[in-house]
Amino acid sequence: MDELAGKAWKFGDNISTDHIAPGRFFHLRTNLPELAKHVLEDADTEFASKVSVGDFVVGGRNFGLGSSREHAPQIIKLAGVGAVLAKSVARIFFRNAINVGLPVLVCDTDKIDDGDQLEVDLENGIVFDRSKDIKLEFAPLPPAMVKILADGGLVEHFKKHGGLAIG
Amino acid sequence: MGLTLAEKILSAAARQDARSNEIVIVDVDVIAVQDGTGPLAIEKAKELGGKLAKPDKTILFIDHAAPSPRAELSNAHKEMRAYAKTSGAVLSDINQGIIHQRLIESFVSPMDVVVGADSHTCMSGALGAFATGMGSTDIAIAMVSGKTWLRVPESYRINIHGQFQPGVYAKDFIIYLIGMIGADGATYKALEFGGEAVSNMSLPERLTLANMSVEAGAKAGLFASDEKTRKFLESVGRADDWCEVKPDADGTYEKDYEIDLGAIGPMLAAPHTVDNSLKVIDAGGTKVDQVFIGSCTNGRIEDLRIAAGILKGRKVSSGTRLIVTPASRKVYMQASKEGLLADLVDAGATITAPGCGVCVGVHGGVLGDNEICLATSNRNFKGRMGNPKASVYLASPATAAASALTGQISDPRKIGA
Ligand code: SF4
C-alpha cells in the first residue's frame, strides 16, 4: 500500500488530542468504533460523517499535541484516513501513529486547500496535489520508524524480531 | 565532552555512551498507566505474551475517572483490578490519587528511566529521573520487555536567576516560559532547568515546571538531584532512594536561556492554547464561573496552603464555584490535619476526591456552555474540561484563590494575605 489517494480535509494549527478524542467521550475509550464516530469532533463537528476511506487529514503546525492517548491516531485510522499530513507533529502523537500503522507526513501543508484531491507516494516521499497540479516533498521518516511501519506497527515488529530491533 | 542530564541518565540506562540524536534501547525502571490508557496497554501486553518484566515497578493507576461516574468506566476499572491480580502489577485504586503525584511520592528515584502512558509523566523529571510519556503500545512493550527505544534528545538549558516577587510562583514562570518558546518550541527536546534560583527552589516548585515541560512539546523536563531532592525523599520515607545526579559542566546544549524570576508577574494561559500567555493585570475583570484548584501541576499541599491562606475567613464570590481537588490521598490527609480543608470549605469550596476528573473533563466539574473557568491545571485546549463551548484560563493557585474571592480574574498581589 505505497500509493494513497483521496480528498484533503484541512485543519488549522495546534489540533490537540482533545480535539481528536475529547475527554467527554472518555468512557468510549474501550469501544474504539464508537469513539471513532466522534473523531476530530471538537475541530469539525461533522468530520466523522463526511470523511471517506482514503481521505487525508491535513493539519498545520504541531498536530496532535497534548495527551498520550493512542486512541487519537487509532480512531483517525479507523475512520478510514490514509495518512495525516502536517507542517509539524507533536512527539507522542507521531510515535503513537507509527506504532498503530497510521502514516504521518511532514510537509508544507499551507499549499494544500480543503477539498483538494491528493495522491501520496509513500516510498518516494511525494504528495501530488491533483487539484493544483503541484508536488510537495515530505521529510523521510526516521529509520527506526520506517522499520516499525514496514513491520506493520510496533506490536508486529516486536513479535517478528522477538524484541525491539531498532538502533 | 561532558554530558547533559538527559545524556547522563540515558547512557547509564543504555549501558553505552548515549549522545543527543542517537537512538538507544534502554532499561526502564518504572512503568505507569492510568485508566484512560491502561486498558489498551493491558490488551496489547496480553497479546505479546503477558508476563511482566518488572511487576513491582509496573503501576496501574485508577485516577482519571475516580470514583467511576459511568458503567463503561467501572468495567474498565474491573479489568485493571483483575489484571493487577493475575500479572502481579501494582494497583493504585481510586482512593490513592493522581498518577504523577503518586509516582513521585512512592515510586520514582533519581537516575531512573520512567515511562508512562500519560503525557505528564515528565513531572518525575523534577527528581533527576528521565521520565517521558508514551502511548499504550509503547508502554505495553515496556511492560513485557522492561525496555523501550528512545532518541536521545538535544537539550535546552534554562538558567534561572533571581527571586520571585511576592505573589508570583513557579506556575507563573512556566506559563511565561511556554509563552516565550511556544507550544511546539521544544518538540523532541529536553528542557534542563538550572541556575542558582533552581538550587533554591523547593521540590514542589520544580515539579510544577517539569510537569508542564510537555506543554512546550518537550520530551522531558529535567532537574539535577541535590540536597533538596534528598530532603523531599526523606519526607516521604524514602531517604535511601536518593542519589546525586547532575549534568557535566561542559555538556553541549542546543540553546541556552537566561531568565530573571524577578521580572515575572502573575501570568495566565488564555484559551485555547497553553502558549497564549498573558499578564494577569491585562485580563483583570474577566468574570469567572468556576475556579479549579488541583491537578498534578498544582494540587499539592503547598498549593492548598497558598489557597487557604488567601481564602481563610473570607467567602468565595457568590457567582463563582470553587472546586478543590487534592492531588493524592497523602495530600488530602495532610490538608485535613492542617485544617486547610475546613478553611476552604468554610470559604465556600467544594472538595472532591483526589484524581483527574475535573482537569480532563470526565466528571466532577464539567463546564456549561460559554462558561469560563480559571484552573491551576496544565491544559486549556478546546473541550478540555468537558465542553468545547467553554473556555479555560490557567494560572497559579494564588491567582485562582484571589479570583475565586472576587469572582473575576484577579492579581493575588492586590488581595493581601
Ligand atoms: S491531573 Fe490532569 S493533567 Fe494531570 S494526569 Fe490527571 S488528567 Fe492528566
Side-chain angles (χ1 to χ4, degrees), chain A residues 40-61:
Chain A
L40 278 156
E41 188 169 295
D42 284 356
D44 175 352
T45 45
E46 277 148 33
F47 175 74
S49 57
K50 294 185 300 193
V51 67
S52 303
V53 172
D55 284 354
F56 299 97
V57 166
V58 181
R61 269 176 62 175

Side-chain angles (χ1 to χ4, degrees), chain B residues 63-64 98-100 118 120 295-297 355-356 359-360 378 384:
Chain B
D63 59 354
H64 277 51
I98 302 170
I99 170 170
H100 310 300
D118 191 283
H120 293 101
S295 85
C296 53
T297 319
C356 299
C359 168
V360 72
N378 48 36
R384 174 73 185 179

Side-chain angles (χ1 to χ4, degrees), chain A residues 6-105:
Chain A
K7 197 166 118 176
W9 294 93
K10 192 82 190 275
F11 294 89
D13 292 341
N14 290 315
I15 295 297
S16 73
T17 53
D18 282 298
H19 288 99
I20 303 168
R24 66 180 177 284
F25 302 120
F26 194 82
H27 58 287
L28 296 178
R29 293 214 188 153
T30 43
N31 186 350
L32 290 174
E34 268 311 304
L35 188 61
K37 291 183 184 161
H38 302 282
V39 62
L40 278 156
E41 188 169 295
D42 284 356
D44 175 352
T45 45
E46 277 148 33
F47 175 74
S49 57
K50 294 185 300 193
V51 67
S52 303
V53 172
D55 284 354
F56 299 97
V57 166
V58 181
R61 269 176 62 175
N62 207 15
F63 189 90
L65 77 159
S67 95
S68 68
R69 62 193 80 151
E70 189 171 299
H71 317 72
Q74 271 195 337
I75 59 174
I76 292 177
K77 195 179 172 207
L78 264 181
V81 170
V84 171
L85 281 58
K87 281 172 82 176
S88 64
V89 185
R91 182 184 63 82
I92 305 177
F93 180 87
F94 193 22
R95 191 163 167 141
N96 282 344
I98 302 302
N99 284 348
V100 303
L102 172 71
V104 174
L105 315 171

Side-chain angles (χ1 to χ4, degrees), chain B residues 149-210:
Chain B
W149 73 273
L150 288 166
R151 194 190 67 93
V152 183
E154 296 84 8
S155 294
Y156 292 174
R157 174 85 182 174
I158 317 290
N159 288 309
I160 317 176
H161 313 286
Q163 279 182 355
F164 286 119
Q165 300 169 34
V168 185
Y169 298 89
K171 182 61 161 289
D172 299 301
F173 163 66
I174 191 71
I175 292 175
Y176 169 88
L177 183 73
I178 293 163
M180 185 168 85
I181 64 181
D184 58 355
T187 300
Y188 304 109
K189 313 295 179 191
L191 298 182
E192 184 183 302
F193 295 90
E196 88 273 355
V198 164
S199 316
N200 297 328
M201 231 174 227
S202 69
L203 242 290
E205 293 177 287
R206 296 180 189 180
L207 290 165
T208 299
L209 304 188

Side-chain angles (χ1 to χ4, degrees), chain B residues 119 130 156 191 250 260 268 326 342 351 358-359 369 387 389 391 412:
Chain B
S119 58
F130 188 92
Y156 292 174
L191 298 182
D250 57 346
D260 174 15
L268 295 168
I351 313 286
V358 185
C359 168
D369 291 357
N387 186 340
K389 294 188 183 126
S391 299

